[in-house]
């Protein structure tokens, strides 16, 4: 195991123990993860929603494979120095084979993954379902057994508050997943007041989705980052914000170019090329180039 990987995992655990909610912007590729780090965020995340869109131009409807997610995660880990969490969907395998998922993500350098009980249909009108809680608990137990680094986080996600609109069922499921060994639980669409009322019974860090409510037509009550923090959320995940921002702003620039047929029309919306080259480390390449192309000193 890489010492760097181990150090990042310990750093994430220290952040979780700080008593302050950790705001986790969801990257969609290596560059967006670097920008999140440069902006001062202490950790980042890759979800399948962003990975499917940015890597393949496809919807997040179960099309990505284990290798697709691991490869994109590894690129983000290698491009940054902050802890990274990742989406492992439903674990990709049943309990006896989930070791392969944990092994692959551990090797990528990620600090942990979340595994969900959702059976599909997210982000669509297709009826969704949930894995029976006992079967999901066995997946969590198997994932914990499979890890080789005790600091690698196994995060259990329940979508009961999203799929069934049932906060009580969600909390009951999360309790059973904690009992199975989950280090953290993740509850998308769980209302802040439900979390506040149950925080003491959930004896593990809790992650919530802070920008799930960007979805038009959602009937869920909106909550701010502050409200979720006050309710006891340890991690507030902004899984959509960055890819949503990129899409909106790139579209605006393209529309302006088509309308005005002049690069000057978008100058203020585009990062200066020299500044961008500075972000990418072209100066470091020049330093290396000078070192290895200079004439060797005479003896």
């Amino acid at each position: 195991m890489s010492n760097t990987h181990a150090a990042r995992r310990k750093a994430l655990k220290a952040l979780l123990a700080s008593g302050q909610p950790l705001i986790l912007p969801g990257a969609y590729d290596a560059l967006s993860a670097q920008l999140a780090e440069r902006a001062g965020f202490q950790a980042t995340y890759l979800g399948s929603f962003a990975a499917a869109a940015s890597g393949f131009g496809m919807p997040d409807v179960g099309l990505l494979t284990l290798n697709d997610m691991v490869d994109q995660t590894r690129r983000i880990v290698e491009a940054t120095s902050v802890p990274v969490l990742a989406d492992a969907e439903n674990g990709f395998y049943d309990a006896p084979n989930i070791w392969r998922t944990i092994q692959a993500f551990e090797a990528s350098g990620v600090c942990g993954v979340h595994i969900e009980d959702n059976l599909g249909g997210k982000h669509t009108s297709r009826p969704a379902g949930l894995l029976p809680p006992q079967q999901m608990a066995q997946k969590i137990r198997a994932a914990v057994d499979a890890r080789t680094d005790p600091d690698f986080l196994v995060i259990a996600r329940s979508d009961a508050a999203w799929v069934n609109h049932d906060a009580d069922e969600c909390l009951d499921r999360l309790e059973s997943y904690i009992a199975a060994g989950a280090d953290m639980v993740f509850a998308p669409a769980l209302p802040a007041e439900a979390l506040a009322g149950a925080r003491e019974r959930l004896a593990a860090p809790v992650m919530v989705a802070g920008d799930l409510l960007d979805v038009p037509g959602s009937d869920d009550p909106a909550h701010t980052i502050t409200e979720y923090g006050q309710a006891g959320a340890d991690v507030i995940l902004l899984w959509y914000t960055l890819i949503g921002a990129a899409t909106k702003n790139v579209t605006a620039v393209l529309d302006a170019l088509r309308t005005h047929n002049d690069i000057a029309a978008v100058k203020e919306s585009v990062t200066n090329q020299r500044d961008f080259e500075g972000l990418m480390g072209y100066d470091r390449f020049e330093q290396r180039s000078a070192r290895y192309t200079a004439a060797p000193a005479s003896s």
Side-chain angles (χ1 to χ4, degrees):
M1 178 178 63
S2 165
N3 289 335
T4 301
H5 296 170
R8 286 205 221 190
R9 291 168 186 157
K10 291 184 183 301
L12 179 58
K13 283 197 166 182
L15 289 171
L16 293 174
S18 70
Q20 297 297 317
L22 178 63
I23 309 303
L24 209 61
Y28 52 86
D29 62 5
L31 175 58
S32 59
Q34 287 181 334
L35 294 176
E37 180 178 1
R38 287 177 179 275
F41 288 92
Q42 296 173 291
T44 190
Y45 165 83
L46 175 67
S48 61
F49 187 94
S54 64
F56 300 90
M58 297 192 303
D60 180 25
V61 290
L63 291 166
L64 298 191
T65 67
L66 169 62
N67 287 343
D68 291 336
M69 283 302 300
V70 169
D71 289 347
Q72 185 80 322
T73 300
R74 182 181 296 108
R75 284 189 283 269
I76 287 174
V77 169
E78 291 175 350
T80 59
S81 62
V82 296
V84 180
L85 291 178
D87 182 354
E89 298 276 58
N90 63 4
F92 296 100
Y93 302 101
D94 56 8
N97 291 325
I98 208 167
W99 62 267
R100 186 167 185 269
T101 299
I102 301 303
Q103 181 183 75
F105 274 108
E106 264 198 299
S108 77
V110 75
C111 294
V113 295
H114 63 73
I115 300 168
E116 66 193 44
D117 56 15
N118 196 313
L119 292 176
K122 294 179 296 184
H123 313 295
T124 74
S125 60
R126 173 174 168 244
L130 297 176
L131 197 68
Q134 299 85 353
Q135 192 174 344
M136 175 65 178
Q138 292 287 42
K139 283 193 177 188
I140 297 303
R141 185 172 291 110
V144 171
D145 288 344
R147 66 184 172 191
T148 60
D149 182 354
D151 290 323
F152 180 89
L153 298 181
V154 174
I155 305 166
R157 165 177 165 168
S158 177
D159 281 4
W162 181 2
V163 174
N164 294 341
H165 306 285
D166 190 331
D168 290 334
E169 180 191 359
C170 179
L171 292 166
D172 288 343
R173 282 174 171 266
L174 296 180
E175 276 195 301
S176 70
Y177 304 159
I178 292 169
D183 303 293
M184 182 189 298
V185 288
F186 178 21
L190 184 69
E193 57 270 19
L195 173 60
R199 190 61 191 87
E200 289 188 4
R201 73 186 251 208
L202 295 176
V206 177
M207 179 162 67
V208 297
D211 61 359
L212 175 66
L213 305 177
D214 289 345
V215 179
S218 171
D219 57 2
D220 294 308
H223 293 297
T224 65
I225 289 174
T226 299
E227 287 172 330
Y228 267 129
Q230 291 173 342
D234 299 279
V235 179
I236 300 172
L237 177 61
L238 307 179
W239 58 269
Y240 175 71
T241 301
L242 296 193
I243 196 164
T247 301
K248 181 174 183 178
N249 287 283
V250 169
T251 299
V253 167
L254 293 170
D255 287 345
L257 283 173
R258 285 194 52 139
T259 299
H260 300 286
N261 199 30
D262 186 352
I263 193 69
V266 299
K267 182 178 180 181
E268 297 305 315
S269 300
V270 177
T271 300
N272 176 276
Q273 181 183 336
R274 297 303 180 199
D275 292 340
F276 185 81
E277 290 172 355
L279 290 173
M280 292 295 97
Y282 282 82
D283 56 338
R284 294 191 296 275
F285 166 77
E286 289 183 2
Q287 293 167 5
R288 292 195 304 272
S289 179
R291 177 178 179 181
Y292 297 118
T293 57
S298 56
S299 56

